[in-house]
Amino acid sequence: MKPIFVLNGPNLNLLGLRQPEIYGAETLADVAARCAALADDLGLGIDFRQSNHEGALVEMIHEARDAASAIVINPAAYTHTSVAILDALHAFEGPVIEVHISNVHKRESFRHHSYVSLRADGVIAGCGTDGYLLALRRVATLLAKGG
Ligand code: DHK
């Protein structure tokens, strides 16, 4: 089976350093390692990536059309602004799960709207970095059902 793309948006490269009271102490490399271990248990492959650039994320999603069976995405700030990422996700046919480490609904009102949610099959927010693992479990269920 094709891998699951786990895509991360801007500033998530600073996970563990940036506002740890909101985003926690784990680094993105820690999260990637936990995702890889769970994916192994679930019999899935993952391709874990991060970019600070909207166009780079759009191109990763285009690549996923042929190269991924599902997408788990934390678009970070682009969640709230990017029609381009939404449109790219609309061009991807497999399951899409949107993840936010923090509970965006408990925060500033500009974080309450998500363009990506117009395409996502599921949304996980406020579960810390465990949200990525929950998303992978959900993807495993959806793929087992045939997408
Ligand atoms: C991460 C960010 O960088 C913010 O811009 C989003 C999201 C929330 C998160 O909780 O993972 O608003």
Side-chain angles (χ1 to χ4, degrees):
M1 191 193 287
K2 295 174 193 170
I4 295 148
F5 278 16
V6 183
L7 304 181
N8 292 278
N11 302 304
L12 289 168
N13 55 310
L14 297 180
L15 203 63
L17 300 172
R18 163 177 89 126
Q19 296 182 283
E21 68 287 1
I22 295 176
Y23 298 108
E26 250 182 329
T27 66
L28 198 62
D30 295 332
V31 179
R34 288 212 293 148
C35 285
L38 177 63
D40 238 29
D41 289 350
L42 295 171
L44 302 169
I46 61 165
D47 191 334
F48 193 100
R49 303 186 193 181
Q50 188 273 335
S51 177
N52 293 321
H53 303 280
E54 185 176 19
L57 291 161
V58 166
E59 285 175 359
M60 288 176 199
I61 296 165
H62 292 175
E63 187 185 334
R65 283 163 49 80
D66 289 325
S69 54
I71 295 175
V72 171
I73 184 166
N74 182 348
Y78 290 140
T79 304
H80 319 296
T81 63
S82 182
V83 177
I85 288 176
L86 170 64
D87 285 350
L89 289 169
H90 274 309
F92 176 76
E93 288 186 354
V96 174
I97 307 293
E98 176 182 351
V99 173
H100 305 288
I101 296 167
S102 65
N103 181 357
V104 283
H105 300 290
K106 218 176 165 186
R107 300 181 64 193
E108 304 97 320
S109 59
F110 66 83
R111 296 185 204 274
H112 297 176
H113 177 261
S114 167
Y115 284 101
V116 170
S117 291
L118 291 166
R119 165 64 180 87
D121 299 297
V123 181
I124 298 166
C127 296
T129 54
D130 288 350
Y132 289 83
L133 306 180
L134 296 169
L136 287 175
R137 288 188 187 281
R138 179 63 182 157
V139 161
T141 301
L142 291 173
L143 292 176
K145 283 188 198 160

